[in-house]
Amino acid sequence: MGISSALTRGALLLALLGLVGCAGRLTPPEASVAPVTVYLLDHGRHASLVLPRREGGMVRYSYGEWRWYVEGERHLLAGASALLWPTASGLGRGVHETITTRGELSGLAPEGLVRVYPLVAEEARVVALKRRLDAHFEAPGVAPVYSEEFDLAFVPYPRAYWLTHQSNLVTARWLRSLDVEVRGIPWLSNWRLEAPPHPIDQQKDET
């Protein structure tokens, strides 16, 4: 990699570090024809998403850098390279057939929970996101690697991990696909739940 490319990446990192204090402000959609509850899990520095299963139970998805999350390389050099250069990434999935309530969510997150954000979304959007994520596990020749530390099975993800495509930003993208408005940059898993705006009362306007 040339000097100019390294400087560009360094500048991007510095610019992003100036925004890490920004919260991802979450606003669920105003209404839903067939509402279901999904859960955003804040683990302190990264987040994961829990979706309900039509068959019963819940399934958790998490995105991360392959060496960091799957191979356990947690030293400073590995962390720096994961941010400054595109590196291999993985998609994690944990299926929990017996967990059905919010109070049981700590049982599917061995890395710990800081906060749980319940969000209402349209069932059709949830099914579509789940189908899209599950497709990575059903691809030919894919052999999931189980992580006991996170209780997740990981498969390679086609897009590389680095500072503009890290775990919390990917989670925010999943939420947007569920029609949840995400404003701000939750780079360090800073989230804030905001109530959806109330619809205009037409009767008051007419009086």
Side-chain angles (χ1 to χ4, degrees):
M1 182 175 62
I3 295 177
S4 61
S5 180
L7 290 175
T8 299
R9 294 187 188 280
L12 283 173
L13 178 59
L14 290 174
L16 192 56
L17 287 176
L19 297 173
V20 295
C22 296
R25 299 185 298 279
L26 308 172
T27 304
E30 292 185 43
S32 180
V33 176
V36 296
T37 301
V38 305
Y39 298 95
L40 171 66
L41 306 187
D42 177 8
H43 305 287
R45 282 293 178 264
H46 78 283
S48 59
L49 185 63
V50 175
L51 305 179
R53 301 172 69 242
R54 281 182 167 176
E55 309 91 327
M58 299 184 184
V59 55
R60 179 166 78 113
Y61 298 96
S62 183
Y63 171 83
E65 206 262 350
W66 187 270
R67 290 182 301 173
W68 186 275
Y69 285 103
V70 181
E71 299 179 359
E73 294 187 22
R74 311 281 168 78
H75 51 81
L76 181 61
L77 181 59
S81 65
L83 293 177
L84 292 174
W85 296 276
T87 57
S89 64
L91 176 65
R93 181 180 69 175
V95 179
H96 301 269
E97 298 178 355
T98 61
I99 292 180
T100 58
T101 66
R102 176 177 176 175
E104 299 173 291
L105 292 178
S106 60
L108 53 76
E111 68 267 44
L113 275 178
V114 174
R115 191 168 180 181
V116 175
Y117 298 88
L119 301 163
V120 175
E122 176 66 45
E123 183 183 24
R125 286 180 176 267
V126 173
V127 171
L129 175 59
K130 183 177 178 298
R131 184 181 298 118
R132 178 161 57 88
L133 297 177
D134 286 344
H136 295 286
F137 292 84
E138 298 163 1
V142 170
V145 178
Y146 177 70
S147 167
E148 184 176 357
E149 180 180 3
F150 298 100
D151 193 19
L152 295 169
F154 282 89
V155 295
Y157 192 78
R159 184 170 174 180
Y161 182 103
W162 77 300
L163 80 167
T164 63
H165 193 261
Q166 50 92 265
S167 58
N168 298 315
L169 301 183
V170 170
T171 302
R173 182 174 299 175
W174 294 344
L175 292 172
R176 292 188 180 100
S177 73
L178 299 179
D179 202 27
V180 175
E181 182 182 0
V182 183
R183 291 177 293 160
I185 303 177
W187 206 77
L188 286 181
S189 196
N190 299 325
W191 309 92
R192 188 172 69 199
L193 181 58
E194 299 181 350
H198 294 289
I200 298 175
D201 189 344
Q202 297 293 339
Q203 292 183 349
K204 290 183 179 179
D205 292 341
E206 295 173 356
T207 58

